[in-house]
């Protein structure tokens, strides 16, 4: 079954909205109940991120997220859906629940191992 | 009398069979790229062999068989490069048709895949013209005045997204079909409009695009014969295209509706379009859905094509039809069109009052300034009219329209 990453972006500092939290949890629970949820979580603010580059001789650590943008990944779901229409329909509900736009991106799970990255 | 040449037969078969062959291969092999390439190869084989060997008794069947064979050959060849991956594709399950909707035509699935809302509008247009219309990439690139490589990349990227994101090859579910179909019709109408009133380039009308859009409209009508808006869009395109030859003068200038030589209008297209409108009026009277925007626009066009002369135009019916349009689509452009009709019924002063209310939102739209210029001219306000023509000319992209507006401006006294 194809997998999709549904991601939610938001400004670095954001007021938590209790209604949105409750609705988002309810949505996540429903995904789980329907057997569609692979994994989901919310993230601590982007200011808590550490970026690591291990390509050189000695690893380099940077305090902060990889991309310097005004909005950062805030939360995500990984779901299983038969096709994009199913995934988009679920993303619409997720977007309503968390009161944000949701990016839907296919995972490479279904590709041959050699093609995955 | 001689029959058609082999070349003519191939052109006709290309029009009739291309989409069908692509669509059935897409279902069978689950890959639009393979379907497209194999179909193109099959037509190439036909162009080589038919002149020598004669046209086969069932050209469509010959092409389908040949294309299927080409697709299998190709997948076999590829499978030798990457055995594990391709083995999966070659036995791609020839899924039996699921109950997908009223019509079980592969071409309808293809329409909805090409016009999927997850694809950018320009990608939808390009894919539709390539996979359903059978236009070549250079033809599509030329029609939209972009580089061939740009267009090729656009199509390749769209096909890659369809594959990677699993955009389904399916007619949408019943609760989505109305909205999705609206998106499909928008793509076809965009192709038509780009041909009819080209926004860029030197040709005022690009016949290849209007013809292609009408062909797509006819195909949709075949696939969804009971849908009012499908009929409405086809009628709208036919009634508009019927006036094509009267619309641009010998010197390349736009000729407005009231100045057109009505004897040059294509009566066959008008009859076909009018019949569709009559059919929709009957369906509505029998309790069907109220007309959508394409049916209303087509009906407005039918009022024009029914009038023996510009003076005989039933403008109050047009105002009433725009009144219904505004309820469906309260966009400033619809209001602008309604205002122009109001000016014909209640005089240019009344029309101008309505037009002026749109000044803020439509300031960057040439047709707004052109409409204002005309109304100001009729009210004898020459100076203001001239300024409005200047704005309209500066904003108009179409050469025939610019030529027309320039002449009108220069005719102003003083």
């Amino acid at each position: 079954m194809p997998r999709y990453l549904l991601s939610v972006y938001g400004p670095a500092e954001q007021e938590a909205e209790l209604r949105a939290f409750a609705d988002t949890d309810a949505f996540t629970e429903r995904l789980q109940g329907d057997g569609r949820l692979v994994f989901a979580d919310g993230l601590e603010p982007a200011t808590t991120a550490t970026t690591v580059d291990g390509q050189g001789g000695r690893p380099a650590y940077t305090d902060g997220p990889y991309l310097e943008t005004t909005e950062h990944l805030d939360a995500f779901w990984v779901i299983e859906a038969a096709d994009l229409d199913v995934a988009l329909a679920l993303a619409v509900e997720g977007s309503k629940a968390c009161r944000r736009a949701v990016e839907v991106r296919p995972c490479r799970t279904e590709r041959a191992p050699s093609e995955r990255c | 009398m001689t029959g058609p040449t082999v070349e003519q037969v191939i052109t006709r078969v290309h029009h009739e069979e291309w989409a069908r062959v692509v669509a059935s291969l897409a279902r069978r092999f689950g890959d639009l790229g393979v379907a497209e390439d194999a179909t193109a190869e099959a037509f190439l084989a036909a162009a080589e062999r038919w002149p020598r060997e004669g046209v086969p008794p069932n050209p469509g069947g010959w092409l389908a068989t040949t294309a299927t064979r080409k697709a299998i050959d190709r997948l076999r060849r590829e499978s030798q490069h990457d055995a594990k991956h391709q083995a999966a594709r070659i036995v791609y399950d020839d899924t039996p048709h699921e109950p997908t909707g009223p019509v079980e035509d592969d071409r309808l699935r293809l329409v909805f895949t090409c016009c999927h809302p997850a694809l950018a509008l320009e990608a939808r247009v390009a894919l539709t013209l390539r996979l359903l219309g059978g236009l070549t990439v250079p033809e599509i690139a030329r029609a939209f005045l972009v580089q061939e490589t740009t267009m090729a990349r656009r199509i390749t990227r769209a096909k890659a997204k369809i594959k990677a994101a699993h955009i389904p090859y399916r007619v949408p579910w019943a609760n989505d079909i109305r909205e999705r179909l609206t998106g499909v019709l928008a793509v076809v109408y965009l192709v038509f409009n780009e041909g009819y009133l080209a926004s860029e380039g030197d040709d005022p009308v690009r016949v290849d695009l209007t013809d292609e859009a009408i062909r797509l409209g006819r195909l949709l009508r075949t696939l969804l014969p009971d849908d009012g808006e499908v009929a409405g869009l086809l009628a709208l395109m036919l009634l508009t295209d019927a006036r094509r030859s009267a619309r641009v003068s010998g010197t390349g200038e736009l000729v407005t509706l009231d100045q057109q030589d009505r004897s040059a209008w294509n009566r066959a297209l008008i009859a076909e379009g009018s019949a569709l409108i009559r059919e929709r009026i009957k369906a509505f009277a029998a309790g069907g859905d109220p007309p959508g925007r394409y049916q209303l626009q087509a009906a407005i066009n039918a009022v024009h094509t029914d009038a023996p002369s510009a003076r005989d135009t039933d403008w109050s019916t047009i105002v009433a039809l725009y009144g219904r349009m505004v309820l469906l689509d309260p966009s400033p452009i619809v209001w602008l069109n309604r205002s122009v009709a109001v000016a014909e019924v209640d005089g240019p002063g009344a029309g101008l009052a309505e037009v002026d209310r749109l000044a803020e939102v439509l300031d960057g739209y040439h047709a707004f300034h052109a409409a204002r210029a005309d109304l100001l001219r009729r009210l004898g306000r020459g100076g203001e009219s001239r300024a409005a023509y200047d704005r309209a000319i500066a904003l108009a992209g179409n050469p025939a329209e610019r030529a027309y507006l320039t002449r009108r401006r220069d005719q102003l006294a003083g």
Side-chain angles (χ1 to χ4, degrees):
Chain A
M1 176 90 79
R3 285 182 177 180
Y4 297 87
L5 171 67
L6 314 189
S7 11
V8 182
Y9 288 80
E13 311 272 339
Q14 164 130 338
E15 296 253 334
E17 204 190 314
L18 288 174
R19 258 314 285 285
F21 273 137
D23 288 355
T24 306
D25 284 348
F27 172 68
T28 306
E29 272 166 35
R30 228 200 68 207
L31 286 176
Q32 190 152 28
D34 294 346
R36 297 189 180 283
L37 186 71
V38 179
F39 185 69
D41 217 334
L43 298 174
E44 292 293 343
T47 48
T48 64
T50 312
T51 302
V52 178
D53 190 345
Q55 297 172 95
R58 187 186 295 180
Y61 304 96
T62 312
D63 179 10
Y66 176 66
L67 291 176
E68 293 205 22
T69 57
T70 50
E71 300 209 310
H72 292 281
L73 185 64
D74 238 11
F76 62 88
W77 295 274
V78 176
I79 60 160
E80 287 190 326
D83 57 45
L84 188 66
D85 280 357
V86 177
L88 292 179
L90 290 168
V92 168
E93 291 179 41
S95 164
K96 278 192 185 124
C98 71
R99 279 108 169 131
R100 305 267 197 86
V102 173
E103 176 189 305
V104 180
R105 201 162 151 186
C107 300
R108 292 199 159 189
T109 324
E110 291 234 309
R111 298 267 189 125
S114 63
E115 278 193 309
R116 274 193 204 151
C117 67
Chain B
M1 246 185 82
T2 55
T5 66
V6 174
E7 236 169 78
Q8 286 166 332
V9 172
I10 290 176
T11 305
R12 182 176 55 77
V13 174
H14 189 268
H15 277 175
E16 287 168 3
E17 302 293 342
W18 170 276
R20 203 193 304 270
V21 177
V22 172
S24 77
L25 261 63
R27 178 170 51 79
R28 171 132 191 227
F29 297 101
D31 186 312
L32 289 182
V34 169
E36 175 197 338
D37 291 346
T39 306
E41 281 177 42
F43 274 93
L44 210 62
E48 277 168 21
R49 291 176 50 185
W50 294 2
R52 274 198 325 252
E53 299 166 16
V55 176
N58 174 1
W62 187 96
L63 285 161
T65 311
T66 308
T68 304
R69 215 174 287 142
K70 301 260 181 208
I72 291 172
D73 283 352
R74 193 182 130 163
L75 291 172
R76 284 226 179 92
R77 263 198 318 275
E78 281 179 18
S79 73
Q80 284 163 358
H81 296 301
D82 185 357
K84 254 195 235 149
H85 175 211
Q86 290 304 332
R89 267 169 59 190
I90 209 155
V91 295
Y92 184 89
D93 172 16
D94 188 356
T95 330
H97 288 245
E98 314 150 35
T100 47
V103 180
E104 297 284 336
D105 192 304
D106 289 334
R107 289 174 298 179
L108 195 58
R109 301 169 176 232
L110 189 57
V111 167
F112 282 106
T113 304
C114 290
C115 296
H116 197 279
L119 300 170
L121 185 59
E122 55 185 21
R124 287 182 232 168
V125 168
L127 269 186
T128 302
L129 289 173
R130 175 73 192 122
L131 296 177
L132 280 149
L135 270 63
T136 63
V137 173
E139 280 169 339
I140 303 168
R142 215 167 32 243
F144 287 93
L145 307 171
V146 303
Q147 294 280 326
E148 220 175 291
T149 47
T150 308
M151 188 53 82
R153 212 178 309 125
R154 193 178 289 173
I155 293 174
T156 306
R157 190 192 291 165
K159 284 188 296 194
K161 176 164 181 182
I162 288 172
K163 196 166 161 185
H166 301 274
I167 287 180
Y169 187 57
R170 169 182 72 213
V171 175
W173 302 303
N175 50 343
D176 284 342
I177 196 160
R178 172 59 36 214
E179 202 187 320
R180 291 281 307 276
L181 185 60
T182 304
V184 171
L185 298 179
V187 165
V188 175
Y189 195 41
L190 187 146
V191 171
F192 182 80
N193 276 330
E194 192 52 34
Y196 196 69
L197 194 56
S199 56
E200 285 175 78
D202 298 328
D203 299 332
V205 177
R206 287 196 222 125
V207 176
D208 46 351
L209 284 183
T210 54
D211 283 353
E212 190 50 42
I214 288 175
R215 222 152 60 69
L216 289 167
R218 288 191 205 278
L219 173 62
L220 285 175
R221 164 93 179 145
T222 312
L223 299 175
L224 298 164
D226 300 325
D227 188 275
E229 283 294 87
V230 167
L233 175 59
L234 179 57
L236 172 60
M237 295 192 294
L238 292 167
L239 293 172
T240 310
D241 199 47
R243 307 195 300 262
R244 182 205 286 169
S245 62
R247 203 167 141 274
V248 179
S249 74
T251 56
E253 189 182 296
L254 185 80
V255 183
T256 50
L257 203 48
D258 57 314
Q259 303 290 324
Q260 285 178 16
D261 170 10
R262 295 187 179 221
S263 68
W265 289 355
N266 185 324
R267 289 290 145 192
L269 294 182
I270 290 176
E272 192 185 346
S274 304
L276 287 167
I277 306 275
R278 281 196 302 275
E279 179 195 306
R280 290 317 306 163
I281 291 172
K282 218 191 269 173
F284 179 47
D289 289 339
R293 55 180 305 170
Y294 293 116
Q295 290 168 81
L296 289 171
Q297 270 176 276
I300 291 165
N301 275 272
V303 174
H304 287 300
T305 48
D306 279 352
S309 76
R311 245 177 327 177
D312 300 315
T313 308
D314 179 0
W315 284 104
S316 35
T317 298
I318 293 181
V319 171
L321 288 166
Y322 273 124
R324 298 192 70 147
M325 279 271 289
V326 162
L327 297 177
L328 291 178
D329 173 18
S331 76
I333 291 177
V334 177
W335 277 109
L336 177 68
N337 290 328
R338 186 181 171 280
S339 312
V340 171
V342 165
E344 298 300 324
V345 177
D346 298 331
L352 184 65
E354 301 231 343
V355 168
D356 278 342
R357 257 183 260 150
L358 305 165
E360 212 168 297
V361 268
L362 290 183
D363 189 53
Y365 183 47
H366 74 276
F368 165 76
H369 296 284
R372 270 195 92 232
D374 184 57
L375 295 171
L376 288 163
R377 178 188 58 77
R378 282 150 70 182
L379 289 165
R381 290 156 65 176
E384 290 166 87
S385 174
R386 177 181 301 278
Y389 274 123
D390 285 340
R391 284 282 286 148
I393 294 161
L395 290 165
N398 185 281
E401 228 173 340
R402 268 200 308 269
Y404 162 75
L405 292 166
T406 307
R407 185 173 59 79
R408 294 307 297 238
R409 179 194 62 194
D410 296 345
Q411 280 173 346
L412 284 170

